[in-house]
Amino acid sequence: MIATSQGRLQDRRPLSIIDIGSNSIRLVIYEGIARSPTVLFNEKMLAGLGRGIVTTGKLDPDGVRRAVEEFGRFRALSEQAGAESLHVIATAAAREAENGPDFISRAENILDTKIKVLTGRQEAYYSALGIISGFHQADGIAGDLGGGSLELVDVKGETIGDGITLPLGGLRLQEMAQNSPTAATRIARTELIRAQLLRGGQGRTFYCVGGTWRNLARLHMMVNGYRLNVMHHYEMPMDGLSDFLKQVASGELDKVKGIDRISKNRRGLLPYGATTLLEVMRSMKPEKVVVSALGVREGYLYSLLSQEEQKKDPLISAAEELAILRARSVTHSRELAEWTGESFRAFGIEESEADARYRQAACLLADIGWRAHPEYRGTQSLNIIAHASFIGVDHPGRAFIALANLFRHEGVFEDAVSPEMRSLATPHYVERARVLGALLRVVYLLSASMPGTIPELTWRTRPDGTLCLVIPAEHAGLMGERPAGRMGQLSKVLGRPMELVVDDR
């Protein structure tokens, strides 16, 4: 048996998923089946199987040849990574082409496993599960744009509503429109008339899934100078979005800032992805457009979880896992997550569900930088959190979690925050991060980063209004100059009298 590094969770068993799409084929090897999956290895090839299918009715011969040659490598990589199982799914091109069954049979022989060729309904179902797995209480329409088809499905919480599959995949639309942007608009508008469910999405969120739309969002980031290059839960502001999409849809990509950062193999489909998104927005009138890094593959992986695991919060699960891997004590981190909630209530701070979730995650991650040089623990923690592959968190929430940990290490000095991070977090979360950071700076000096003490600390209000953090008499030795000084800082942040005392009752 191959020994795994301590940088991996010891209770996980790797598994692989190969996703055979109309444009791309991707192998993803996951650390294991988990609520917040971690990728061990990821490789794709742009085979373009669906190219020409409208005209010929068959898979592209060159794409078939290249895919068949690559399947042996994908299987070898899966085995090399120690994957205990290999799951293969195929979508629009493979199910619709005349030679699809023959291609699937050849692939099954090479991969030595049965391939699940998804129907349009199944593809929409797994796309919806991908959104459910990646967003906390999703509410809107999920749109998964592949090379051959567009799956639209209504998602609200854990409920999957109506869905439809339309022939608007990038490769297919490009071929049907014969490279004409005007024709592409006409085709997309005509097809989307059939998507009655879009009318029920007005004022809700449209979730963009698929490589073409992710690259479109990446281009949007560069055009607007967006500084956090994290695709999942990136929200494209409605103001100016139509103008951006129209520019891309026109096909004049050379004039778009940042186009050189997009793979040449992907650029050709961007105008058709932009056209389709424009028409979706026209029909649906969403409140916002949000990008998902999770789709059919992750939805399929989510379906393999037990119902108990599915109900877990993906952000909290991922934060706990990182604490297990990097903190001095995950138990201490969990104590912080619980105790700071009690503290916020004592402060009179009301929390929304999102506020509470993000605070808990910040506490679970509060000690992940302890091995770094003291001068850089805050910066390292901020960078790890800001750029981690977390799901179930929007970008302002991610910025809050990162800033709380910056303040916890470096002090609650606002000049330590870059203008970009401050803007991303919003004033609400910047202030919350200062409060939480100041609170953590007090309690870490009383716990020595080890569990057991935090649950015994309580809050008491004196008749004069002073809020006291009470240390049990048996822990009186923890009192000192430094924690008292930190308490003074917290008092200034909250703008109310506070004191650190030993229980004298």
Side-chain angles (χ1 to χ4, degrees):
M1 180 177 177
I2 300 174
T4 56
S5 162
Q6 291 301 303
R8 298 219 348 233
L9 294 166
Q10 303 300 303
D11 63 342
R12 300 290 162 83
R13 299 292 178 268
L15 80 159
S16 302
I17 295 180
I18 295 177
D19 180 1
I20 303 174
S22 300
N23 190 35
S24 65
I25 300 175
R26 187 182 294 271
L27 163 71
V28 184
I29 305 172
Y30 296 94
E31 184 182 27
I33 301 177
R35 183 61 185 88
S36 184
T38 301
V39 174
L40 280 180
F41 187 84
N42 186 337
E43 184 167 311
K44 74 175 178 186
M45 66 171 298
L46 293 173
L49 290 172
R51 185 174 291 109
I53 198 170
V54 173
T55 303
T56 67
K58 297 181 179 181
L59 299 174
D60 180 73
D62 184 59
V64 169
R65 176 188 60 77
R66 293 173 54 235
V68 168
E69 290 176 353
E70 200 70 10
F71 284 144
R73 168 173 164 77
F74 280 6
R75 176 180 172 181
L77 285 168
S78 177
E79 293 170 351
Q80 169 65 18
E84 293 192 342
S85 59
L86 172 62
H87 304 257
V88 188
I89 55 178
T91 53
R95 71 172 174 257
E96 295 173 4
E98 293 177 19
N99 58 341
D102 176 66
F103 168 73
I104 292 297
S105 178
R106 292 172 66 187
E108 288 178 337
N109 288 334
I110 297 170
L111 295 169
D112 193 29
T113 192
K114 184 72 175 175
I115 295 176
K116 188 178 183 70
V117 181
L118 303 180
T119 65
R121 182 176 294 274
Q122 288 174 323
E123 194 171 349
Y125 172 73
Y126 287 122
S127 293
L129 285 186
I131 296 300
I132 289 171
S133 73
F135 293 84
H136 185 70
Q137 295 299 314
D139 182 7
I141 306 293
D144 189 343
L145 183 70
S149 63
L150 168 66
E151 278 66 46
L152 296 170
V153 60
D154 192 293
V155 179
K156 186 174 179 61
E158 297 177 359
T159 302
I160 300 174
D162 293 337
I164 189 171
T165 295
L166 300 172
L168 291 176
L171 285 175
R172 187 188 296 264
L173 182 58
Q174 182 183 40
E175 186 177 356
M176 289 192 299
Q178 298 181 333
N179 296 313
S180 166
T182 302
T185 297
R186 184 175 63 253
I187 293 168
R189 185 168 298 177
T190 300
E191 289 291 341
L192 284 167
I193 290 173
R194 297 196 285 131
Q196 301 279 325
L197 74 153
L198 285 176
R199 297 176 186 173
Q202 184 173 350
R204 298 163 70 198
T205 300
F206 183 70
Y207 298 95
C208 293
V209 182
T212 297
W213 275 343
R214 284 195 298 272
N215 278 283
L216 194 62
R218 182 170 289 109
L219 188 60
H220 187 267
M221 283 180 171
M222 288 182 282
V223 166
N224 291 281
Y226 194 76
R227 299 301 293 272
L228 183 62
N229 192 23
V230 172
M231 194 54 59
H232 188 67
H233 221 309
Y234 172 61
E235 181 178 334
M236 293 190 277
M238 300 302 291
D239 184 29
L241 179 55
S242 292
D243 290 340
F244 165 77
L245 293 174
K246 288 175 183 176
Q247 183 182 11
V248 176
S250 71
E252 298 178 356
L253 295 178
D254 291 342
K255 298 179 181 178
V256 182
K257 177 183 177 182
I259 190 63
D260 57 318
R261 301 285 296 277
I262 305 297
S263 165
K264 290 183 179 179
N265 292 327
R266 289 284 193 183
R267 291 179 200 174
L269 297 185
L270 287 181
Y272 302 96
T275 295
T276 301
L277 184 54
L278 266 171
E279 291 306 310
V280 166
M281 289 167 54
R282 189 185 66 83
S283 298
M284 176 179 166
K285 297 179 176 58
E287 178 189 16
K288 54 187 175 181
V289 175
V290 175
V291 181
S292 173
L294 280 64
V296 171
R297 270 188 317 277
E298 292 76 20
Y300 178 81
L301 189 66
Y302 178 82
S303 74
L304 302 178
L305 292 170
S306 67
Q307 288 189 353
E308 181 182 358
E309 286 293 316
Q310 287 180 352
K311 292 182 182 301
K312 289 183 177 179
D313 187 316
L315 173 63
I316 302 303
S317 295
E320 283 192 329
E321 289 175 1
L322 197 52
I324 290 170
L325 293 171
R326 299 187 69 116
R328 279 168 283 195
S329 167
V330 68
T331 302
H332 180 269
S333 300
R334 290 170 180 151
E335 289 177 353
L336 278 177
E338 178 71 22
W339 184 81
T340 54
E342 299 171 5
S343 299
F344 271 41
R345 285 189 288 275
F347 299 161
I349 297 177
E350 294 184 3
E351 292 184 295
S352 66
E353 183 187 18
D355 291 341
R357 293 177 60 243
Y358 297 162
R359 173 186 47 75
Q360 292 169 34
C363 291
L364 289 167
L365 297 168
D367 203 37
I368 61 172
W370 76 276
R371 285 187 180 273
H373 186 283
E375 294 293 328
Y376 295 99
R377 286 173 185 159
T379 303
Q380 185 182 90
S381 298
L382 181 143
N383 284 329
I384 291 173
I385 294 165
H387 305 125
S389 56
F390 293 142
I391 55 178
V393 57
D394 60 18
H395 285 201
R398 181 185 289 265
F400 159 76
I401 298 169
L403 286 175
N405 279 281
L406 176 71
F407 291 141
R408 167 259 195 274
H409 285 287
E410 298 190 4
V412 288
F413 304 109
E414 292 200 39
D415 58 1
V417 183
S418 68
E420 293 84 4
M421 188 62 72
R422 181 188 302 280
S423 174
L424 189 63
T426 72
H428 170 80
Y429 279 133
V430 170
E431 188 55 34
R432 290 290 172 105
R434 292 182 73 241
V435 172
L436 183 57
L439 179 60
L440 293 177
R441 286 175 67 76
V442 173
V443 77
Y444 263 94
L445 292 183
L446 301 175
S447 67
S449 307
M450 288 294 115
T453 302
I454 294 174
E456 299 184 40
L457 302 175
T458 58
W459 295 96
R460 185 186 305 160
T461 303
R462 287 179 178 163
D464 65 0
T466 300
L467 184 60
C468 298
L469 178 57
V470 183
I471 301 174
E474 60 268 29
H475 295 305
L478 295 173
M479 279 289 287
E481 189 176 297
R482 288 199 73 211
R486 293 277 179 87
M487 196 67 182
Q489 294 173 357
L490 177 59
S491 175
K492 289 181 181 179
V493 170
L494 286 171
R496 63 179 300 179
M498 303 181 75
E499 191 176 340
L500 188 64
V501 300
V502 174
D503 194 351
D504 56 1
R505 292 186 299 180

